[in-house]
Amino acid sequence: MPDRFVSGFVSILGRPNAGKSTLLNALVGEKVAIVTPTPQTTRTLIQGVLNLDGAQVVFLDTPGIHQPDSAFNRRMMETIRAALAERDLLIFVVDATRRFGSADREALQLVRTARTPTLLALNKIDHLKDKSRLLPLIEQFKSLHEFADYLPISALTREGLDELRQAVIDRLPEGPAFFPPEHLTDQPERFLAAELIREKLTLETREEIPHALAVLVERWEDTLKLIHISATIFVERDGQKAIVIGAGGSRLKRAGTAARLEIEALSGRKVFLDLFVKVRPRWRDDPRMLEALDWRSMSGGAVAE
Ligand SMILES: Nc1nc2c(ncn2[C@@H]2O[C@H](COP(=O)(O)OP(=O)(O)O)[C@@H](O)[C@H]2O)c(=O)[nH]1
Ligand SMILES: [Mg+2]
């Protein structure tokens, strides 16, 4: 037994698509956050808990730092600010295959306001052909902020993750476990199901559609053997509805099957999944809709007519 137990809260931050959610899943060893190639897939704070012999780390995945252009995006930015407060440590994730730009500078500026020790995780090194590009990139970030450490990683192949995990644990204070060991995330099952449906639809559609997609679970009937789930998929325009449904319903069917299989694996039960598509113009500026989509506000269900 280790003589010392450490615990703490660690937020994962960075620009859209840097690989934050992939990193969270890799760190905790389970899929708690959905991942797609589309920026702004993560819309809320996603908790994932890592339990080790001598440590418990509560990670928090966040939406990508971006310029907000709707009430929904402003809410996402508030969410990020909330994830900066009262943390023991931050992990700032950057896509090391991309050039440093002004958006990196702005994202970093936000993180600096927290005055919390921050690890720089240089992600996607599996995709970096010329490894000598890492050093100048590190220098660039170093010139703007004194990070606690600089760690090249691949969230996808898990290269460098042992070192990152160790770097986190080394910086956590002594303290008790906050959650029982079986607690992996604070997300309710029905929210996770809605997220998985949104992930599969996002993977099936392209361009602007994913940003107009929202999924709400309206009904969840649990029997010993079977879960019956009815979910509504919201889009903003008729054309988007047609795209989501696909020719003869093919796209909706494919996404639904893929989501159902993952929900079944997660719950260990057979799932019966009903999906409906509704047009809700400008939902991203509708406060009632934003409340309903945020499970932490606990008012789901009331907006689907
Ligand atoms: N090659 C490579 N791709 C990655 C890595 N980490 C994430 N990705 C991909 O980058 C995209 C965005 O990942 P995601 O975790 O959703 O990024 P987030 O927006 O920061 O949460 C997805 O297509 C991931 O598969 C990595 O280490 N290497
Ligand atoms: Mg994400």
mmCIF file with all atom_site columns, all heavy atoms in Angstrom, residues 250-273:
data_model
loop_
_atom_site.group_PDB
_atom_site.id
_atom_site.type_symbol
_atom_site.label_atom_id
_atom_site.label_alt_id
_atom_site.label_comp_id
_atom_site.label_asym_id
_atom_site.label_entity_id
_atom_site.label_seq_id
_atom_site.pdbx_PDB_ins_code
_atom_site.Cartn_x
_atom_site.Cartn_y
_atom_site.Cartn_z
_atom_site.occupancy
_atom_site.B_iso_or_equiv
_atom_site.pdbx_formal_charge
_atom_site.auth_seq_id
_atom_site.auth_comp_id
_atom_site.auth_asym_id
_atom_site.auth_atom_id
_atom_site.pdbx_PDB_model_num
ATOM 1   N N   . SER A 1 250 ? -32.548 6.113  -44.121 1.00 0.00 ? 250 SER A N   1
ATOM 2   C CA  . SER A 1 250 ? -31.342 5.293  -43.970 1.00 0.00 ? 250 SER A CA  1
ATOM 3   C C   . SER A 1 250 ? -30.328 5.858  -42.976 1.00 0.00 ? 250 SER A C   1
ATOM 4   O O   . SER A 1 250 ? -29.739 5.130  -42.186 1.00 0.00 ? 250 SER A O   1
ATOM 5   C CB  . SER A 1 250 ? -30.663 5.100  -45.331 1.00 0.00 ? 250 SER A CB  1
ATOM 6   O OG  . SER A 1 250 ? -30.384 6.376  -45.892 1.00 0.00 ? 250 SER A OG  1
ATOM 7   N N   . ARG A 1 251 ? -30.142 7.173  -43.017 1.00 0.00 ? 251 ARG A N   1
ATOM 8   C CA  . ARG A 1 251 ? -29.112 7.754  -42.151 1.00 0.00 ? 251 ARG A CA  1
ATOM 9   C C   . ARG A 1 251 ? -29.528 7.669  -40.671 1.00 0.00 ? 251 ARG A C   1
ATOM 10  O O   . ARG A 1 251 ? -28.742 7.286  -39.809 1.00 0.00 ? 251 ARG A O   1
ATOM 11  C CB  . ARG A 1 251 ? -28.849 9.205  -42.552 1.00 0.00 ? 251 ARG A CB  1
ATOM 12  C CG  . ARG A 1 251 ? -27.698 9.813  -41.762 1.00 0.00 ? 251 ARG A CG  1
ATOM 13  C CD  . ARG A 1 251 ? -27.267 11.146 -42.314 1.00 0.00 ? 251 ARG A CD  1
ATOM 14  N NE  . ARG A 1 251 ? -26.531 11.027 -43.550 1.00 0.00 ? 251 ARG A NE  1
ATOM 15  C CZ  . ARG A 1 251 ? -26.815 11.680 -44.682 1.00 0.00 ? 251 ARG A CZ  1
ATOM 16  N NH1 . ARG A 1 251 ? -27.853 12.492 -44.721 1.00 0.00 ? 251 ARG A NH1 1
ATOM 17  N NH2 . ARG A 1 251 ? -26.088 11.524 -45.745 1.00 0.00 ? 251 ARG A NH2 1
ATOM 18  N N   . LEU A 1 252 ? -30.776 8.010  -40.419 1.00 0.00 ? 252 LEU A N   1
ATOM 19  C CA  . LEU A 1 252 ? -31.289 7.953  -39.054 1.00 0.00 ? 252 LEU A CA  1
ATOM 20  C C   . LEU A 1 252 ? -31.213 6.524  -38.523 1.00 0.00 ? 252 LEU A C   1
ATOM 21  O O   . LEU A 1 252 ? -30.868 6.289  -37.369 1.00 0.00 ? 252 LEU A O   1
ATOM 22  C CB  . LEU A 1 252 ? -32.734 8.459  -39.033 1.00 0.00 ? 252 LEU A CB  1
ATOM 23  C CG  . LEU A 1 252 ? -33.351 8.682  -37.664 1.00 0.00 ? 252 LEU A CG  1
ATOM 24  C CD1 . LEU A 1 252 ? -32.579 9.720  -36.874 1.00 0.00 ? 252 LEU A CD1 1
ATOM 25  C CD2 . LEU A 1 252 ? -34.809 9.117  -37.800 1.00 0.00 ? 252 LEU A CD2 1
ATOM 26  N N   . LYS A 1 253 ? -31.488 5.576  -39.400 1.00 0.00 ? 253 LYS A N   1
ATOM 27  C CA  . LYS A 1 253 ? -31.473 4.172  -39.005 1.00 0.00 ? 253 LYS A CA  1
ATOM 28  C C   . LYS A 1 253 ? -30.050 3.733  -38.641 1.00 0.00 ? 253 LYS A C   1
ATOM 29  O O   . LYS A 1 253 ? -29.826 3.095  -37.609 1.00 0.00 ? 253 LYS A O   1
ATOM 30  C CB  . LYS A 1 253 ? -32.012 3.327  -40.159 1.00 0.00 ? 253 LYS A CB  1
ATOM 31  C CG  . LYS A 1 253 ? -32.273 1.917  -39.750 1.00 0.00 ? 253 LYS A CG  1
ATOM 32  C CD  . LYS A 1 253 ? -33.265 1.230  -40.676 1.00 0.00 ? 253 LYS A CD  1
ATOM 33  C CE  . LYS A 1 253 ? -33.503 -0.178 -40.118 1.00 0.00 ? 253 LYS A CE  1
ATOM 34  N NZ  . LYS A 1 253 ? -33.413 -1.202 -41.136 1.00 0.00 ? 253 LYS A NZ  1
ATOM 35  N N   . ARG A 1 254 ? -29.086 4.108  -39.489 1.00 0.00 ? 254 ARG A N   1
ATOM 36  C CA  . ARG A 1 254 ? -27.686 3.727  -39.221 1.00 0.00 ? 254 ARG A CA  1
ATOM 37  C C   . ARG A 1 254 ? -27.203 4.319  -37.894 1.00 0.00 ? 254 ARG A C   1
ATOM 38  O O   . ARG A 1 254 ? -26.611 3.642  -37.066 1.00 0.00 ? 254 ARG A O   1
ATOM 39  C CB  . ARG A 1 254 ? -26.767 4.237  -40.341 1.00 0.00 ? 254 ARG A CB  1
ATOM 40  C CG  . ARG A 1 254 ? -26.513 3.228  -41.442 1.00 0.00 ? 254 ARG A CG  1
ATOM 41  C CD  . ARG A 1 254 ? -25.283 3.615  -42.253 1.00 0.00 ? 254 ARG A CD  1
ATOM 42  N NE  . ARG A 1 254 ? -25.263 5.005  -42.686 1.00 0.00 ? 254 ARG A NE  1
ATOM 43  C CZ  . ARG A 1 254 ? -25.870 5.465  -43.784 1.00 0.00 ? 254 ARG A CZ  1
ATOM 44  N NH1 . ARG A 1 254 ? -26.565 4.631  -44.554 1.00 0.00 ? 254 ARG A NH1 1
ATOM 45  N NH2 . ARG A 1 254 ? -25.792 6.728  -44.110 1.00 0.00 ? 254 ARG A NH2 1
ATOM 46  N N   . ALA A 1 255 ? -27.472 5.631  -37.722 1.00 0.00 ? 255 ALA A N   1
ATOM 47  C CA  . ALA A 1 255 ? -27.019 6.301  -36.498 1.00 0.00 ? 255 ALA A CA  1
ATOM 48  C C   . ALA A 1 255 ? -27.703 5.689  -35.279 1.00 0.00 ? 255 ALA A C   1
ATOM 49  O O   . ALA A 1 255 ? -27.074 5.460  -34.248 1.00 0.00 ? 255 ALA A O   1
ATOM 50  C CB  . ALA A 1 255 ? -27.299 7.798  -36.584 1.00 0.00 ? 255 ALA A CB  1
ATOM 51  N N   . GLY A 1 256 ? -28.991 5.412  -35.414 1.00 0.00 ? 256 GLY A N   1
ATOM 52  C CA  . GLY A 1 256 ? -29.762 4.842  -34.310 1.00 0.00 ? 256 GLY A CA  1
ATOM 53  C C   . GLY A 1 256 ? -29.240 3.476  -33.902 1.00 0.00 ? 256 GLY A C   1
ATOM 54  O O   . GLY A 1 256 ? -29.086 3.173  -32.715 1.00 0.00 ? 256 GLY A O   1
ATOM 55  N N   . THR A 1 257 ? -28.924 2.651  -34.896 1.00 0.00 ? 257 THR A N   1
ATOM 56  C CA  . THR A 1 257 ? -28.395 1.313  -34.600 1.00 0.00 ? 257 THR A CA  1
ATOM 57  C C   . THR A 1 257 ? -27.050 1.412  -33.892 1.00 0.00 ? 257 THR A C   1
ATOM 58  O O   . THR A 1 257 ? -26.806 0.732  -32.889 1.00 0.00 ? 257 THR A O   1
ATOM 59  C CB  . THR A 1 257 ? -28.243 0.500  -35.908 1.00 0.00 ? 257 THR A CB  1
ATOM 60  O OG1 . THR A 1 257 ? -29.521 0.437  -36.539 1.00 0.00 ? 257 THR A OG1 1
ATOM 61  C CG2 . THR A 1 257 ? -27.746 -0.908 -35.628 1.00 0.00 ? 257 THR A CG2 1
ATOM 62  N N   . ALA A 1 258 ? -26.185 2.282  -34.401 1.00 0.00 ? 258 ALA A N   1
ATOM 63  C CA  . ALA A 1 258 ? -24.857 2.438  -33.791 1.00 0.00 ? 258 ALA A CA  1
ATOM 64  C C   . ALA A 1 258 ? -24.980 2.923  -32.344 1.00 0.00 ? 258 ALA A C   1
ATOM 65  O O   . ALA A 1 258 ? -24.302 2.425  -31.444 1.00 0.00 ? 258 ALA A O   1
ATOM 66  C CB  . ALA A 1 258 ? -24.010 3.401  -34.618 1.00 0.00 ? 258 ALA A CB  1
ATOM 67  N N   . ALA A 1 259 ? -25.878 3.880  -32.122 1.00 0.00 ? 259 ALA A N   1
ATOM 68  C CA  . ALA A 1 259 ? -26.070 4.407  -30.767 1.00 0.00 ? 259 ALA A CA  1
ATOM 69  C C   . ALA A 1 259 ? -26.650 3.323  -29.865 1.00 0.00 ? 259 ALA A C   1
ATOM 70  O O   . ALA A 1 259 ? -26.196 3.134  -28.730 1.00 0.00 ? 259 ALA A O   1
ATOM 71  C CB  . ALA A 1 259 ? -26.990 5.624  -30.796 1.00 0.00 ? 259 ALA A CB  1
ATOM 72  N N   . ARG A 1 260 ? -27.637 2.596  -30.382 1.00 0.00 ? 260 ARG A N   1
ATOM 73  C CA  . ARG A 1 260 ? -28.286 1.550  -29.577 1.00 0.00 ? 260 ARG A CA  1
ATOM 74  C C   . ARG A 1 260 ? -27.268 0.498  -29.118 1.00 0.00 ? 260 ARG A C   1
ATOM 75  O O   . ARG A 1 260 ? -27.245 0.112  -27.946 1.00 0.00 ? 260 ARG A O   1
ATOM 76  C CB  . ARG A 1 260 ? -29.395 0.878  -30.395 1.00 0.00 ? 260 ARG A CB  1
ATOM 77  C CG  . ARG A 1 260 ? -30.080 -0.253 -29.651 1.00 0.00 ? 260 ARG A CG  1
ATOM 78  C CD  . ARG A 1 260 ? -31.245 -0.836 -30.429 1.00 0.00 ? 260 ARG A CD  1
ATOM 79  N NE  . ARG A 1 260 ? -30.873 -1.324 -31.775 1.00 0.00 ? 260 ARG A NE  1
ATOM 80  C CZ  . ARG A 1 260 ? -30.243 -2.464 -32.015 1.00 0.00 ? 260 ARG A CZ  1
ATOM 81  N NH1 . ARG A 1 260 ? -29.902 -3.267 -31.024 1.00 0.00 ? 260 ARG A NH1 1
ATOM 82  N NH2 . ARG A 1 260 ? -29.955 -2.833 -33.254 1.00 0.00 ? 260 ARG A NH2 1
ATOM 83  N N   . LEU A 1 261 ? -26.385 0.090  -30.019 1.00 0.00 ? 261 LEU A N   1
ATOM 84  C CA  . LEU A 1 261 ? -25.386 -0.923 -29.653 1.00 0.00 ? 261 LEU A CA  1
ATOM 85  C C   . LEU A 1 261 ? -24.492 -0.432 -28.517 1.00 0.00 ? 261 LEU A C   1
ATOM 86  O O   . LEU A 1 261 ? -24.166 -1.181 -27.603 1.00 0.00 ? 261 LEU A O   1
ATOM 87  C CB  . LEU A 1 261 ? -24.542 -1.304 -30.877 1.00 0.00 ? 261 LEU A CB  1
ATOM 88  C CG  . LEU A 1 261 ? -25.305 -2.078 -31.959 1.00 0.00 ? 261 LEU A CG  1
ATOM 89  C CD1 . LEU A 1 261 ? -24.444 -2.270 -33.201 1.00 0.00 ? 261 LEU A CD1 1
ATOM 90  C CD2 . LEU A 1 261 ? -25.790 -3.416 -31.417 1.00 0.00 ? 261 LEU A CD2 1
ATOM 91  N N   . GLU A 1 262 ? -24.118 0.852  -28.564 1.00 0.00 ? 262 GLU A N   1
ATOM 92  C CA  . GLU A 1 262 ? -23.248 1.374  -27.496 1.00 0.00 ? 262 GLU A CA  1
ATOM 93  C C   . GLU A 1 262 ? -23.999 1.526  -26.179 1.00 0.00 ? 262 GLU A C   1
ATOM 94  O O   . GLU A 1 262 ? -23.440 1.298  -25.116 1.00 0.00 ? 262 GLU A O   1
ATOM 95  C CB  . GLU A 1 262 ? -22.610 2.710  -27.909 1.00 0.00 ? 262 GLU A CB  1
ATOM 96  C CG  . GLU A 1 262 ? -21.408 2.476  -28.808 1.00 0.00 ? 262 GLU A CG  1
ATOM 97  C CD  . GLU A 1 262 ? -20.422 3.636  -28.807 1.00 0.00 ? 262 GLU A CD  1
ATOM 98  O OE1 . GLU A 1 262 ? -20.288 4.327  -27.780 1.00 0.00 ? 262 GLU A OE1 1
ATOM 99  O OE2 . GLU A 1 262 ? -19.804 3.846  -29.860 1.00 0.00 ? 262 GLU A OE2 1
ATOM 100 N N   . ILE A 1 263 ? -25.270 1.928  -26.259 1.00 0.00 ? 263 ILE A N   1
ATOM 101 C CA  . ILE A 1 263 ? -26.059 2.063  -25.021 1.00 0.00 ? 263 ILE A CA  1
ATOM 102 C C   . ILE A 1 263 ? -26.268 0.670  -24.409 1.00 0.00 ? 263 ILE A C   1
ATOM 103 O O   . ILE A 1 263 ? -26.213 0.503  -23.196 1.00 0.00 ? 263 ILE A O   1
ATOM 104 C CB  . ILE A 1 263 ? -27.412 2.763  -25.286 1.00 0.00 ? 263 ILE A CB  1
ATOM 105 C CG1 . ILE A 1 263 ? -27.179 4.154  -25.883 1.00 0.00 ? 263 ILE A CG1 1
ATOM 106 C CG2 . ILE A 1 263 ? -28.220 2.898  -23.997 1.00 0.00 ? 263 ILE A CG2 1
ATOM 107 C CD1 . ILE A 1 263 ? -28.437 4.797  -26.480 1.00 0.00 ? 263 ILE A CD1 1
ATOM 108 N N   . GLU A 1 264 ? -26.460 -0.324 -25.270 1.00 0.00 ? 264 GLU A N   1
ATOM 109 C CA  . GLU A 1 264 ? -26.615 -1.702 -24.769 1.00 0.00 ? 264 GLU A CA  1
ATOM 110 C C   . GLU A 1 264 ? -25.347 -2.176 -24.076 1.00 0.00 ? 264 GLU A C   1
ATOM 111 O O   . GLU A 1 264 ? -25.386 -2.781 -23.005 1.00 0.00 ? 264 GLU A O   1
ATOM 112 C CB  . GLU A 1 264 ? -26.978 -2.653 -25.919 1.00 0.00 ? 264 GLU A CB  1
ATOM 113 C CG  . GLU A 1 264 ? -28.422 -2.485 -26.363 1.00 0.00 ? 264 GLU A CG  1
ATOM 114 C CD  . GLU A 1 264 ? -28.832 -3.425 -27.505 1.00 0.00 ? 264 GLU A CD  1
ATOM 115 O OE1 . GLU A 1 264 ? -27.931 -3.997 -28.172 1.00 0.00 ? 264 GLU A OE1 1
ATOM 116 O OE2 . GLU A 1 264 ? -30.044 -3.573 -27.726 1.00 0.00 ? 264 GLU A OE2 1
ATOM 117 N N   . ALA A 1 265 ? -24.191 -1.878 -24.672 1.00 0.00 ? 265 ALA A N   1
ATOM 118 C CA  . ALA A 1 265 ? -22.918 -2.292 -24.069 1.00 0.00 ? 265 ALA A CA  1
ATOM 119 C C   . ALA A 1 265 ? -22.720 -1.610 -22.715 1.00 0.00 ? 265 ALA A C   1
ATOM 120 O O   . ALA A 1 265 ? -22.239 -2.200 -21.757 1.00 0.00 ? 265 ALA A O   1
ATOM 121 C CB  . ALA A 1 265 ? -21.767 -1.965 -25.012 1.00 0.00 ? 265 ALA A CB  1
ATOM 122 N N   . LEU A 1 266 ? -23.137 -0.354 -22.676 1.00 0.00 ? 266 LEU A N   1
ATOM 123 C CA  . LEU A 1 266 ? -22.966 0.458  -21.466 1.00 0.00 ? 266 LEU A CA  1
ATOM 124 C C   . LEU A 1 266 ? -23.870 -0.027 -20.333 1.00 0.00 ? 266 LEU A C   1
ATOM 125 O O   . LEU A 1 266 ? -23.465 -0.096 -19.178 1.00 0.00 ? 266 LEU A O   1
ATOM 126 C CB  . LEU A 1 266 ? -23.331 1.898  -21.830 1.00 0.00 ? 266 LEU A CB  1
ATOM 127 C CG  . LEU A 1 266 ? -22.820 3.019  -20.978 1.00 0.00 ? 266 LEU A CG  1
ATOM 128 C CD1 . LEU A 1 266 ? -21.378 3.300  -21.374 1.00 0.00 ? 266 LEU A CD1 1
ATOM 129 C CD2 . LEU A 1 266 ? -23.660 4.272  -21.231 1.00 0.00 ? 266 LEU A CD2 1
ATOM 130 N N   . SER A 1 267 ? -25.110 -0.351 -20.678 1.00 0.00 ? 267 SER A N   1
ATOM 131 C CA  . SER A 1 267 ? -26.103 -0.675 -19.647 1.00 0.00 ? 267 SER A CA  1
ATOM 132 C C   . SER A 1 267 ? -26.186 -2.175 -19.401 1.00 0.00 ? 267 SER A C   1
ATOM 133 O O   . SER A 1 267 ? -26.773 -2.599 -18.404 1.00 0.00 ? 267 SER A O   1
ATOM 134 C CB  . SER A 1 267 ? -27.482 -0.152 -20.069 1.00 0.00 ? 267 SER A CB  1
ATOM 135 O OG  . SER A 1 267 ? -27.878 -0.786 -21.274 1.00 0.00 ? 267 SER A OG  1
ATOM 136 N N   . GLY A 1 268 ? -25.626 -2.972 -20.302 1.00 0.00 ? 268 GLY A N   1
ATOM 137 C CA  . GLY A 1 268 ? -25.712 -4.422 -20.152 1.00 0.00 ? 268 GLY A CA  1
ATOM 138 C C   . GLY A 1 268 ? -27.121 -4.963 -20.372 1.00 0.00 ? 268 GLY A C   1
ATOM 139 O O   . GLY A 1 268 ? -27.445 -6.053 -19.936 1.00 0.00 ? 268 GLY A O   1
ATOM 140 N N   . ARG A 1 269 ? -27.959 -4.185 -21.023 1.00 0.00 ? 269 ARG A N   1
ATOM 141 C CA  . ARG A 1 269 ? -29.319 -4.624 -21.283 1.00 0.00 ? 269 ARG A CA  1
ATOM 142 C C   . ARG A 1 269 ? -29.710 -4.374 -22.730 1.00 0.00 ? 269 ARG A C   1
ATOM 143 O O   . ARG A 1 269 ? -29.085 -3.576 -23.409 1.00 0.00 ? 269 ARG A O   1
ATOM 144 C CB  . ARG A 1 269 ? -30.300 -3.894 -20.364 1.00 0.00 ? 269 ARG A CB  1
ATOM 145 C CG  . ARG A 1 269 ? -30.609 -4.725 -19.136 1.00 0.00 ? 269 ARG A CG  1
ATOM 146 C CD  . ARG A 1 269 ? -31.261 -3.892 -18.081 1.00 0.00 ? 269 ARG A CD  1
ATOM 147 N NE  . ARG A 1 269 ? -30.406 -2.769 -17.714 1.00 0.00 ? 269 ARG A NE  1
ATOM 148 C CZ  . ARG A 1 269 ? -30.816 -1.767 -16.970 1.00 0.00 ? 269 ARG A CZ  1
ATOM 149 N NH1 . ARG A 1 269 ? -32.037 -1.708 -16.558 1.00 0.00 ? 269 ARG A NH1 1
ATOM 150 N NH2 . ARG A 1 269 ? -29.981 -0.815 -16.658 1.00 0.00 ? 269 ARG A NH2 1
ATOM 151 N N   . LYS A 1 270 ? -30.742 -5.027 -23.168 1.00 0.00 ? 270 LYS A N   1
ATOM 152 C CA  . LYS A 1 270 ? -31.254 -4.777 -24.503 1.00 0.00 ? 270 LYS A CA  1
ATOM 153 C C   . LYS A 1 270 ? -31.941 -3.423 -24.526 1.00 0.00 ? 270 LYS A C   1
ATOM 154 O O   . LYS A 1 270 ? -32.573 -3.026 -23.567 1.00 0.00 ? 270 LYS A O   1
ATOM 155 C CB  . LYS A 1 270 ? -32.253 -5.871 -24.878 1.00 0.00 ? 270 LYS A CB  1
ATOM 156 C CG  . LYS A 1 270 ? -31.825 -6.523 -26.151 1.00 0.00 ? 270 LYS A CG  1
ATOM 157 C CD  . LYS A 1 270 ? -32.722 -7.508 -26.775 1.00 0.00 ? 270 LYS A CD  1
ATOM 158 C CE  . LYS A 1 270 ? -32.824 -7.248 -28.273 1.00 0.00 ? 270 LYS A CE  1
ATOM 159 N NZ  . LYS A 1 270 ? -31.596 -6.746 -28.904 1.00 0.00 ? 270 LYS A NZ  1
ATOM 160 N N   . VAL A 1 271 ? -31.763 -2.718 -25.632 1.00 0.00 ? 271 VAL A N   1
ATOM 161 C CA  . VAL A 1 271 ? -32.337 -1.381 -25.726 1.00 0.00 ? 271 VAL A CA  1
ATOM 162 C C   . VAL A 1 271 ? -33.270 -1.306 -26.921 1.00 0.00 ? 271 VAL A C   1
ATOM 163 O O   . VAL A 1 271 ? -32.968 -1.809 -28.005 1.00 0.00 ? 271 VAL A O   1
ATOM 164 C CB  . VAL A 1 271 ? -31.214 -0.322 -25.854 1.00 0.00 ? 271 VAL A CB  1
ATOM 165 C CG1 . VAL A 1 271 ? -31.793 1.025  -26.258 1.00 0.00 ? 271 VAL A CG1 1
ATOM 166 C CG2 . VAL A 1 271 ? -30.436 -0.190 -24.539 1.00 0.00 ? 271 VAL A CG2 1
ATOM 167 N N   . PHE A 1 272 ? -34.410 -0.710 -26.692 1.00 0.00 ? 272 PHE A N   1
ATOM 168 C CA  . PHE A 1 272 ? -35.344 -0.420 -27.767 1.00 0.00 ? 272 PHE A CA  1
ATOM 169 C C   . PHE A 1 272 ? -35.335 1.094  -27.941 1.00 0.00 ? 272 PHE A C   1
ATOM 170 O O   . PHE A 1 272 ? -35.664 1.816  -27.018 1.00 0.00 ? 272 PHE A O   1
ATOM 171 C CB  . PHE A 1 272 ? -36.729 -0.937 -27.366 1.00 0.00 ? 272 PHE A CB  1
ATOM 172 C CG  . PHE A 1 272 ? -37.686 -0.959 -28.499 1.00 0.00 ? 272 PHE A CG  1
ATOM 173 C CD1 . PHE A 1 272 ? -37.772 -2.063 -29.340 1.00 0.00 ? 272 PHE A CD1 1
ATOM 174 C CD2 . PHE A 1 272 ? -38.509 0.139  -28.744 1.00 0.00 ? 272 PHE A CD2 1
ATOM 175 C CE1 . PHE A 1 272 ? -38.658 -2.075 -30.408 1.00 0.00 ? 272 PHE A CE1 1
ATOM 176 C CE2 . PHE A 1 272 ? -39.390 0.133  -29.802 1.00 0.00 ? 272 PHE A CE2 1
ATOM 177 C CZ  . PHE A 1 272 ? -39.468 -0.979 -30.636 1.00 0.00 ? 272 PHE A CZ  1
ATOM 178 N N   . LEU A 1 273 ? -34.888 1.549  -29.098 1.00 0.00 ? 273 LEU A N   1
ATOM 179 C CA  . LEU A 1 273 ? -34.662 2.989  -29.276 1.00 0.00 ? 273 LEU A CA  1
ATOM 180 C C   . LEU A 1 273 ? -35.584 3.577  -30.348 1.00 0.00 ? 273 LEU A C   1
ATOM 181 O O   . LEU A 1 273 ? -35.558 3.161  -31.505 1.00 0.00 ? 273 LEU A O   1
ATOM 182 C CB  . LEU A 1 273 ? -33.186 3.214  -29.670 1.00 0.00 ? 273 LEU A CB  1
ATOM 183 C CG  . LEU A 1 273 ? -32.719 4.655  -29.862 1.00 0.00 ? 273 LEU A CG  1
ATOM 184 C CD1 . LEU A 1 273 ? -32.858 5.461  -28.589 1.00 0.00 ? 273 LEU A CD1 1
ATOM 185 C CD2 . LEU A 1 273 ? -31.260 4.669  -30.336 1.00 0.00 ? 273 LEU A CD2 1
#
